[in-house]
Amino acid sequence: MKAKSDEIYMGLDIGYSNVSARIGNGETSRDIIFPAGAAHKRHAPQLATGGGASDVFEVVVDDDPWVAGLEPDRLGKVERQLHRDYPKSSNYLALFYAALAASGETKIDVLTTGLPVDQFKDIEYRQALVNRLQGTHNVSPKLSIEVSKVVVVPQPAGAYMSLVNSNENEDIEDIVEIILNGRMLVIDPGYFSTDWVLFDCGEVRFEDSDTSLHAMSTVIGGINDMIRQDYAVAPGPAKIEKAIRSGSNFVFASGQKVDITEYREKSADEQAEEALTKVIVSLRASGENMDVVLMTGGGGADFSKVTKQRFPNSKFVSPENSVTSISDGFYYISVES
C-alpha cells in the first residue's frame, strides 16, 4: 500500500438505498452506513413534541437546509430520486455532505467513489462528478471539509478490490491467483441498477461490461404488486425496502402480518433472469466461460440462485458483507492512488 499515516482516505458508495463509506489512514479504518433518504428540511419528518428528528444529518446544499440519512419511508410525499442523473441531484450532494460529516475529519486526502458502468464510460460525465466532489465543501454553517483528490471508478471495481484485499476467505490466495491469471465477472445488483464488469487477467474489459435496470427496485416493486394481488392493498415499496434493510421478512397489509419470503424469491428470480440475459448477451463476443463470478451489492444474495444457474462451472464468490464491500474496495483504491 502507498498509504501515508498522516493522510486520510475514504471509499464512498452513495447508492439509491444505502450510503456506505470506509474512512481511515491506511493502517486503521472504520465503516459508516446510513439510509440514502434526503430532503429539504421543510419536508423532513418532525417529532410530535416539535423540532426535527435527532437521527439524521443536517447539511446545507446551495444555501438551503437539508436533512440526510432518512429511511425512505420517512420521506412522505417527497419524490424519490430514482433516475440516471442522480449524481447531479441535490439529494446526492446532501448525502455526500452527510458522509463527510460522519467521517469526523476536516480534510480527506483521497476519496474514491463509483458510477454505473455505462455512465463511467462517459468521460465527460465522469469528470463532472470529480469536479463536483473535489474541493472545499461548506457542509454546514460552521463545518467546512476539504476533499483534495477524487477518483471515480466503475461501481463493481470496488467489490474486486475488496476481495483482493480480503482476509475473510481461507482460499483467498487461490482466488487472487485465478483472478490475476483468468477471467472474473463481478455482478453488482444495486437498488437502481445491476452492473457488471469483466476482468481478464486483472484487466477491465469495458466492451463486455455494462448496466441493466433490472435491480432491487424492480424486485421490490414486484413484491409490492404480488402482495396487492393477494391482500387487496399493498404496503408500498418503501416499507418493503425498510424490512429488507433491517433483515425482517415481514410487512403489514390490510392489518395482517405478511411474510414476504416467497414473494421476494419469486420477484428476485424474475428480475435476475432479465438482468442475467443482458449479461450473457454482452459476453457473447468474448465467451461466457468464467473462472470466477463475484456476486456483490445489496441484491447479491437475491440474484445468486439465477446467477449460479447461468454460470454453473464457475467458482462462485460473495463477500461476507455485500452492502459495504463496494465502499471497502473504494477505500483500498484511495490508499493505492
Side-chain angles (χ1 to χ4, degrees):
M1 284 190 176
K2 300 178 181 179
K4 298 179 181 179
S5 59
D6 60 342
E7 293 191 343
I8 299 298
Y9 307 96
M10 190 175 199
L12 177 60
D13 180 16
I14 302 178
Y16 291 81
S17 185
N18 294 297
V19 174
S20 64
R22 189 169 185 179
I23 184 83
N25 63 3
E27 296 178 356
T28 61
S29 61
R30 63 186 176 90
D31 285 318
I32 299 165
I33 185 166
F34 54 86
H40 194 285
K41 190 174 180 179
R42 65 174 175 269
H43 300 304
Q46 299 291 311
L47 298 176
T49 54
S54 60
D55 58 342
V56 297
F57 300 92
E58 291 199 19
V59 297
V60 176
V61 177
D62 297 328
D63 297 323
D64 285 330
W66 277 66
V67 293
L70 292 162
E71 282 284 356
D73 70 336
R74 296 170 67 191
L75 292 175
K77 295 183 179 180
V78 176
E79 190 70 25
R80 186 88 176 266
Q81 296 292 313
L82 294 177
H83 55 78
R84 290 181 54 74
D85 279 336
Y86 179 49
K88 296 180 179 180
S89 69
S90 295
N91 298 64
Y92 186 96
L93 199 59
L95 294 167
F96 171 58
Y97 285 175
L100 292 183
S103 75
E105 304 290 342
T106 56
K107 181 181 179 182
I108 309 295
D109 292 280
V110 185
L111 182 149
T112 299
T113 192
L115 281 172
V117 175
D118 58 343
Q119 290 181 329
F120 176 82
K121 292 178 182 179
D122 185 332
I123 297 174
E124 292 184 2
Y125 199 101
R126 192 166 74 222
Q127 187 59 48
L129 183 59
V130 170
N131 295 342
R132 191 176 203 206
L133 303 187
Q134 195 165 281
T136 300
H137 301 275
N138 298 316
V139 171
S140 60
K142 293 189 177 182
L143 178 62
S144 294
I145 300 174
E146 179 187 350
V147 180
S148 299
K149 179 181 178 181
V150 172
V151 178
V152 178
V153 298
Q155 195 77 5
Y160 171 83
M161 286 299 293
S162 180
L163 177 64
V164 169
N165 288 276
S166 173
N167 295 317
E168 297 172 359
N169 197 310
E170 295 180 356
D171 300 324
I172 189 64
E173 291 186 8
D174 292 337
I175 293 172
V176 170
E177 183 178 5
I178 295 172
I179 292 170
L180 297 178
N181 297 283
R183 285 156 55 87
M184 181 177 78
L185 182 66
V186 182
I187 303 177
D188 173 22
Y191 188 81
F192 180 71
S193 65
T194 295
D195 293 279
W196 61 94
V197 169
L198 174 62
F199 290 88
D200 194 343
C201 295
E203 296 180 342
V204 178
R205 300 297 186 190
F206 283 113
E207 65 273 18
D208 299 307
S209 308
D210 210 339
T211 299
S212 167
L213 296 184
H214 293 279
M216 283 307 293
S217 57
T218 52
V219 170
I220 290 170
I223 297 170
N224 197 58
D225 290 343
M226 285 186 277
I227 292 174
R228 181 184 290 110
Q229 291 169 10
D230 285 349
Y231 290 89
V233 299
K239 295 292 185 184
I240 298 169
E241 179 186 355
K242 183 178 181 180
I244 291 173
R245 190 204 316 281
S246 66
S248 172
N249 293 323
F250 297 95
V251 295
F252 285 89
S254 297
Q256 298 185 60
K257 192 175 183 180
V258 179
D259 188 335
I260 66 171
T261 304
E262 291 185 7
Y263 298 120
R264 181 176 178 179
E265 183 176 356
K266 181 179 179 182
S267 183
D269 288 352
E270 290 174 354
Q271 297 305 316
E273 285 286 357
E274 295 287 347
L276 267 295
T277 295
K278 188 173 180 181
V279 173
I280 296 297
V281 169
S282 76
L283 296 174
R284 280 180 179 167
S286 60
E288 300 170 20
N289 182 42
M290 296 295 143
D291 298 297
V292 177
V293 174
L294 170 59
M295 203 75 188
T296 188
D302 293 89
F303 279 33
S304 289
K305 185 177 80 174
V306 172
T307 304
K308 289 177 180 179
Q309 291 171 350
R310 291 297 189 104
F311 296 96
N313 299 317
S314 303
K315 187 174 183 64
F316 195 85
V317 183
S318 59
E320 184 174 314
N321 192 333
S322 60
V323 175
T324 61
S325 65
I326 298 291
S327 55
D328 288 349
F330 289 167
Y331 171 78
Y332 293 120
I333 294 171
S334 290
V335 172
E336 293 287 349
S337 297

